[in-house]
């Protein structure tokens, strides 16, 4: 008999496919506030005269260019599973201030400045991918994190992230080095859904010697009191942490048709030698 999670996954894919045929909606990760500054994520992003891909191109902006969100337009453009509004923006080049329209999918979901570097988090593309575990075809979104010095790209790492239903919320933060040798700081990128049964994903990235190192991705999902699956890392500076390593912990609970709980736990230890990690 299929597990609850398998049925839930297929159901979500089917529901999302039906929604995709009916109407276009914007992913919440691309909901940017008016009169707030933002950063260009996609290099050489086109700035257009009006909110339309057929509109004349006024300019192009490089990654890390700061802009001001002037107004959110109601027009939505779909590229794969990335669905975003157009935004009227204002920006400065030298002594000149200009305005135009940019597609929200080309903006950073989050950005941080730390130790003289700019770190940007954004969603880059959608590719069709077959999931052998469920024998279904899904639209897989990919994200990346960039480290910049001005307009110069220092390093970038890419990783898979959630399907459309998981892109309701996104955040990006810098953390300490968690007492990992030679690590300058840790970045944490999050995307998640807002409904039961919609997975959320945490991506930790280590920054050392101007290089970004993506750790194994974490996933959590729950459906009321029927099912949950959670994953986390225990770093050396956490309670229960061990030196020169980080610990992966998974917990899962599923209720059967007689309301009996089945619980699972798993633990893995990854060693860190100051340059890279490996599973012990």
């Amino acid at each position: 008999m299929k597990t609850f999670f398998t049925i839930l996954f297929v159901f979500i894919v089917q529901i999302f496919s039906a929604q995709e045929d009916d109407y276009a909606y914007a992913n919440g990760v691309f909901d940017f506030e008016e009169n707030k500054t933002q950063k260009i994520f996609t290099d050489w992003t086109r700035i257009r005269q009006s909110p339309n891909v057929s509109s004349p191109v006024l300019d192009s902006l490089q990654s890390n260019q700061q802009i001001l969100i002037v107004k959110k337009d109601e027009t939505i453009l779909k590229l794969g599973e990335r669905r975003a509004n157009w935004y009227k923006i204002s920006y400065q080049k030298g002594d000149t201030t200009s305005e135009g329209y940019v597609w929200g999918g080309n903006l950073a979901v989050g950005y941080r400045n730390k130790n003289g570097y700019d770190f940007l988090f954004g969603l880059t593309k959608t590719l069709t991918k077959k999931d052998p575990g469920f024998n279904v075809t899904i639209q897989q979104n990919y994200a990346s994190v960039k480290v910049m010095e001005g307009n110069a790209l220092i390093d970038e790492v890419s990783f898979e992230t959630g399907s459309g239903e998981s892109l309701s919320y996104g955040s990006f933060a810098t953390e300490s080095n968690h007492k990992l040798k030679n690590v300058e700081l840790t970045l944490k990128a999050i995307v998640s859904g807002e409904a039961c049964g919609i997975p959320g994903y945490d991506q930790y990235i280590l920054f050392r010697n101007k290089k970004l190192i993506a750790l194994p991705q974490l996933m959590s999902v729950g459906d009321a009191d029927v099912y949950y699956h959670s994953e986390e890392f225990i770093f050396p500076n956490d309670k229960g942490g061990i030196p020169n390593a980080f610990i992966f912990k998974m917990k899962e609970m599923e209720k059967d048709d007689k309301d009996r709980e089945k619980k699972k736990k798993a633990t893995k230890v990854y060693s860190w030698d100051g340059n890279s990690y490996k599973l012990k």
Side-chain angles (χ1 to χ4, degrees):
M1 183 175 69
K2 291 184 177 180
T3 66
F4 172 82
F5 188 55
T6 303
I7 297 171
L8 179 64
F9 180 89
V10 175
F11 176 74
I12 290 170
V13 171
Q14 291 173 340
I15 291 296
F16 178 70
S17 298
Q19 289 178 339
E20 185 177 21
D21 293 337
D22 293 337
Y23 64 93
Y25 62 92
N27 302 124
V29 294
F30 301 123
D31 187 16
F32 304 109
E33 294 184 45
E34 296 178 358
N35 300 314
K36 297 286 187 179
T37 57
Q38 191 46 253
K39 291 285 188 86
I40 296 291
F41 183 77
T42 304
D43 207 16
W44 301 113
T45 288
R46 293 175 178 177
I47 308 303
R48 296 187 180 272
Q49 186 175 355
S50 60
N52 191 299
V53 291
S54 300
S55 177
V57 176
L58 302 178
D59 202 351
S60 61
L61 300 179
Q62 292 179 265
S63 295
N64 206 31
Q65 168 77 48
Q66 182 168 290
I67 56 97
L68 176 70
I69 302 290
V70 176
K71 184 179 180 181
K72 177 180 179 179
D73 193 88
E74 293 304 312
T75 307
I76 295 173
L77 173 65
K78 300 190 300 181
L79 289 180
E81 283 200 340
R82 293 182 298 159
R83 296 162 169 78
N85 292 80
W86 288 83
Y87 291 88
K88 186 177 182 180
I89 65 168
S90 174
Y91 61 95
Q92 191 163 346
K93 279 188 174 181
D95 297 328
T96 304
T97 300
S98 303
E99 289 188 345
Y101 286 87
V102 65
W103 180 54
N106 287 331
L107 300 178
V109 173
Y111 61 92
R112 291 289 184 269
N113 178 274
K114 188 77 172 179
N115 299 350
Y117 296 100
D118 289 311
F119 299 93
L120 310 178
F121 166 46
L123 301 181
T124 57
K125 59 187 175 182
T126 305
L127 296 177
T128 300
K129 177 182 177 182
K130 187 169 184 179
D131 189 311
F134 299 105
N135 195 30
V136 294
T137 298
I138 62 173
Q139 295 296 301
Q140 177 65 59
N141 289 308
Y142 289 83
S144 75
V145 168
K146 300 178 180 180
V147 54
M148 312 279 300
E149 281 186 306
N151 290 327
L153 178 65
I154 303 303
D155 197 19
E156 180 176 6
V157 291
S158 297
F159 45 90
E160 293 182 356
T161 190
S163 297
E165 295 290 337
S166 293
L167 303 183
S168 298
Y169 169 80
S171 69
F172 188 52
T174 58
E175 299 183 355
S176 71
N177 66 358
H178 292 293
K179 292 188 178 180
L180 291 169
K181 181 181 177 182
N182 295 337
V183 173
E184 189 172 337
L185 57 88
T186 305
L187 303 162
K188 185 180 182 182
I190 297 174
V191 296
S192 63
E194 293 182 340
C196 289
I198 305 300
Y201 300 87
D202 294 356
Q203 181 65 60
Y204 283 92
I205 300 167
L206 307 180
F207 181 59
R208 63 166 302 280
N209 195 25
K210 295 188 176 183
K211 294 293 183 183
L212 298 169
I213 302 169
L215 301 186
Q217 194 172 75
L218 304 176
M219 187 273 285
S220 297
V221 64
D223 187 20
D225 63 344
V226 178
Y227 176 87
Y228 72 78
H229 175 101
S230 66
E231 299 175 354
E232 66 174 339
F233 286 137
I234 306 298
F235 291 105
N237 63 329
D238 294 324
K239 183 178 180 180
I242 57 178
N244 304 316
F246 55 94
I247 305 167
F248 167 87
K249 288 195 172 184
M250 182 277 288
K251 294 181 180 179
E252 185 174 282
M253 186 280 292
E254 179 182 353
K255 287 186 178 180
D256 62 18
D257 52 6
K258 294 184 179 180
D259 208 33
R260 294 174 299 191
E261 292 186 357
K262 296 181 180 179
K263 293 184 178 181
K264 295 180 182 178
K265 290 184 179 181
T267 300
K268 299 178 184 178
V269 178
Y270 293 88
S271 62
W272 172 258
D273 64 5
N275 296 291
S276 60
Y277 68 88
K278 66 178 180 179
L279 184 63
K280 282 189 174 182

